[in-house]
Amino acid sequence: MAVQDISYVELFASDKVAAVDYFVSALGFTRVADSVEVDRSSILLQQGDVRLVVTSGRGIWKFLDSHGDGIADIAMTCDDPAAAEAKAVAAGAVPLASPRGNVVVAGFGSVTHTLLPAPARPGGPLADGRRWTPSPEITSTEPSRIRLLDHIAVCLAGGTLEEYADFYRDAFGFSRYSSEYVAVGGQAMDSIVVRSESGRVTFTLVAPDPGKEPGQLDAFLERNGGPGAQHLAFLVDDIIPSVGEARDRGVEFLNTPDTYYDMLAERFEGMAEQIAELRKAQVLADRDEWGHLLQLFTRSPYERNTLFFELIQRQGSRGFGSANIRALYEAVERDRLSS
């Protein structure tokens, strides 16, 4: 029953051509396959171990009307999909009908989880019930930088964080990896990181503190029409050239004030040269007892300003330090107030 990996993440898009162009031209994904169904069509993109499915068509307009462009399905592989479904339903998950014959259960908000059998070999054909045909290969001219999907951040309604952390524990066997409470001015957010037993599926669950002033998480929930996937974090080996290439290809990142790097120099003594490079690239940094973490967040490329992306480099760091979570919250809050 154990969840092993994320098979793919599916994005519902109002403009499939523009959505695919962003991933291919700006972030370096390769278009590998196409699928046409009665009421929708999909394109499969891949880079490293990350698979994204971009879908559009009349069959998804209800989702788009409610939420705008965003993540609709996070498909996970498991040892036994039928047994995994039974366990999830026993934990409160709602089973959903699938025209492709897959096992599908409700996750959070309108986001579903398709449960697929683990493939015989990693990287094999996507066996999700769709008829995939190889695409005329459209490969980014940029170097392949992204290796895997480090984590998915999930924005939930205030007061529901514990409920969902328990749900992913009981339904899919995830364990709580860490938790953090971050207060910024009169606002505050709570977070719990849950991770599969395999260690290869990580959700960062975040929610606003309903007892505090409304902030950027409340704004996300309003724009998104409820809970949803806030961002996808892509792991890279070398973040500074990755950010530079993405920026040159049109990706807009959140701005980081110079004062952040002045404070960073106080926290990371003896690293003046490295901090100068981070300042130039606008990359954020944090560290824990295992090592360093470097990251940067994009602005949302979508009309409702909801889903965005993260590039992350781990230099030994295993977790999600408080400085990182605070930096994300403060960076998005600055961007919200200035826009």
Side-chain angles (χ1 to χ4, degrees):
M1 294 186 291
V3 167
Q4 295 185 4
D5 285 290
I6 291 178
S7 176
Y8 63 84
V9 175
E10 185 164 11
L11 171 77
F12 281 1
S14 54
D15 186 338
K16 185 174 61 177
V17 173
V20 168
D21 182 66
Y22 181 85
F23 288 118
V24 173
S25 298
L27 290 178
F29 280 81
T30 296
R31 177 175 175 173
V32 296
D34 294 73
S35 173
V36 177
E37 298 175 284
V38 173
D39 62 353
R40 68 195 68 188
S41 61
S42 303
I43 294 174
L44 174 63
L45 307 173
Q46 185 160 355
Q47 185 175 177
D49 291 337
V50 182
R51 281 172 159 170
L52 302 177
V53 174
V54 179
T55 295
S56 65
R58 60 181 173 82
I60 67 166
W61 283 112
K62 183 178 179 181
F63 180 97
L64 294 175
D65 286 344
S66 298
H67 311 291
D69 290 21
I71 303 305
D73 187 49
I74 301 170
M76 301 185 292
T77 62
C78 49
D79 301 326
D80 185 334
E85 178 189 33
K87 180 180 178 182
V89 170
V94 177
L96 302 173
S98 168
R100 306 183 192 111
N102 294 322
V103 173
V104 182
V105 298
F108 49 89
S110 295
V111 179
T112 60
H113 294 304
T114 297
L115 304 179
L116 300 172
R121 61 182 179 86
L126 187 59
D128 68 338
R130 278 177 271 216
R131 181 175 295 176
W132 292 100
T133 58
S135 302
E137 189 165 303
I138 302 176
T139 306
S140 170
T141 57
E142 293 297 307
S144 179
R145 296 287 188 182
I146 294 170
R147 289 205 296 112
L148 52 83
L149 187 58
D150 187 85
H151 63 274
I152 298 175
V154 176
C155 186
L156 302 169
T160 67
L161 195 66
E162 292 286 338
E163 172 190 339
Y164 275 96
D166 289 347
F167 169 74
Y168 278 96
R169 177 196 65 200
D170 298 339
F172 302 108
F174 286 30
S175 60
R176 297 193 185 203
Y177 185 75
S178 63
S179 62
E180 191 71 35
Y181 182 85
V182 176
V184 179
Q187 306 165 19
M189 62 164 281
D190 232 340
S191 70
I192 299 175
V193 178
V194 295
R195 180 167 289 173
S196 65
E197 186 178 338
S198 69
R200 296 191 293 271
V201 182
T202 302
F203 293 159
T204 301
L205 309 177
V206 298
D209 184 338
K212 300 289 186 178
E213 297 174 7
Q216 53 108 345
L217 295 186
D218 301 274
F220 174 93
L221 291 166
E222 182 177 355
R223 293 193 304 269
N224 192 66
Q230 185 204 43
H231 72 266
L232 307 181
F234 298 127
L235 184 72
V236 298
D237 289 326
D238 198 343
I239 194 170
I240 291 179
S242 300
V243 165
E245 291 159 6
R247 190 176 274 133
D248 289 344
R249 301 288 287 186
V251 175
E252 293 186 29
F253 291 95
L254 296 181
N255 294 321
T256 309
D258 280 342
T259 51
Y260 170 85
Y261 297 99
D262 296 337
M263 296 174 64
L264 197 63
E266 298 174 4
R267 292 171 46 219
F268 290 36
E269 295 181 4
M271 295 181 63
E273 184 176 341
Q274 295 92 325
I275 291 172
E277 293 180 359
L278 296 177
R279 186 192 297 262
K280 184 178 180 181
Q282 296 275 287
V283 169
L284 304 170
D286 191 27
R287 63 183 173 188
D288 55 26
E289 58 266 43
W290 299 286
H292 294 86
L293 184 87
L294 306 176
Q295 61 186 165
L296 190 57
F297 308 96
T298 75
R299 286 192 169 93
S300 175
Y302 306 108
E303 184 178 358
R304 290 204 194 180
N305 190 27
T306 49
L307 175 70
F308 59 95
F309 307 100
E310 173 187 353
L311 297 182
I312 182 169
Q313 178 185 346
R314 294 187 181 275
Q315 298 175 313
S317 175
R318 300 180 189 175
F320 303 81
S322 59
N324 283 326
I325 296 173
R326 182 181 297 275
L328 167 61
Y329 192 92
E330 292 179 340
V332 174
E333 186 63 19
R334 283 193 303 272
D335 193 62
R336 183 179 75 90
L337 295 175
S338 64
S339 61

